[in-house]
């Protein structure tokens, strides 16, 4: 079975508490994806979402697909996840990293 090539972008959110999100530009569905970020100010933990079609900050957004992680300490600003092998090939997927106290 041929796996889909997925293009990935980092969200650009108005908040300044999570910065320098680093993600691969693309990956093959089913691969492990490594992400990194920096926290600023009083942010102590982040949430990470996978979105399609634009930025999102949680499951209330129309672009939200799934949680990658619901709480990750800023003292460990990296995370690896295995992407779903069922992801369709597309160029409008986003990884959004944001303060865990923001929108759920």
């Amino acid at each position: 079975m041929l796996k889909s090539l997925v293009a990935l972008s980092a969200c650009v959110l108005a908040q300044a508490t999570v910065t320098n999100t680093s993600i691969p530009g693309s990956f093959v569905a089913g691969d492990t994806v490594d992400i990194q970020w920096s926290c600023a100010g009083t942010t102590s933990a982040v949430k990470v979402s996978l979105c399609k079609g634009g930025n999102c900050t949680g499951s209330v957004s129309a672009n939200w697909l799934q949680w990658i992680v619901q709480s990750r300490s800023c003292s460990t600003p990296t995370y690896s996840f295995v992407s779903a092998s069922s992801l369709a090939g597309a160029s409008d997927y986003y990884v959004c990293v944001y303060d865990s106290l923001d929108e759920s």
Side-chain angles (χ1 to χ4, degrees), residues 25-101:
S26 63
F27 62 94
V28 174
D31 282 357
T32 298
V33 178
D34 299 318
I35 56 176
Q36 296 177 315
W37 60 87
S38 298
C39 296
T42 60
T43 302
S44 62
V46 298
K47 293 180 181 180
V48 183
S49 292
L50 179 64
C51 310
K52 187 171 188 326
N55 293 345
C56 68
T57 54
S59 58
V60 297
S61 171
N63 296 329
W64 184 83
L65 292 178
Q66 70 181 53
W67 292 113
I68 293 173
V69 63
Q70 287 192 9
S71 183
R72 181 74 171 185
S73 171
C74 285
S75 64
T76 311
T78 61
Y79 193 77
S80 296
F81 69 98
V82 177
S83 63
S85 58
S86 61
L87 284 177
S91 61
D92 60 346
Y93 286 97
Y94 292 80
V95 168
C96 299
V97 182
Y98 49 96
D99 190 318
S100 64
L101 298 178

